[in-house]
Amino acid sequence: LEVSNVKLYQFVSKNIGLVHPVLFESKQQNGMIYGFTDNYLKVVTLWDESLVNSVVTMELTQENLLVDDDNPL
């Protein structure tokens, strides 16, 4: 991995188990909804229309954190 990718994985990994507010977008993709934490980590969860354009406090896990658009941690 490039140094920048290593740093990204380290940063994302340090946030596992922490609780952050997540702002969810209105876009649905493959039954999932995507959002961003207050420190710009990308989060994914099952589509729920009530989450659209809302801020939800979530525990960050390996399952819901994305390193980039398509790759979970």
Side-chain angles (χ1 to χ4, degrees), residues 6-50:
V6 170
K7 294 286 188 188
L8 176 60
Y9 275 87
Q10 288 173 343
F11 175 67
V12 173
S13 296
K14 286 181 183 178
N15 285 273
I16 292 174
L18 299 180
V19 175
H20 282 274
V22 178
L23 173 61
F24 285 98
E25 301 172 336
S26 60
K27 187 176 174 183
Q28 175 184 214
Q29 261 184 305
N30 301 320
M32 305 302 277
I33 187 169
Y34 297 84
F36 289 91
T37 66
D38 56 339
N39 59 350
Y40 304 103
L41 294 172
K42 192 165 188 178
V43 176
V44 62
T45 193
L46 291 174
W47 170 255
D48 179 344
E49 190 171 356
S50 70

Side-chain angles (χ1 to χ4, degrees), residues 50-61:
S50 70
L51 296 177
V52 173
N53 295 322
S54 65
V55 177
V56 178
T57 301
M58 291 184 67
E59 180 177 358
L60 304 181
T61 67

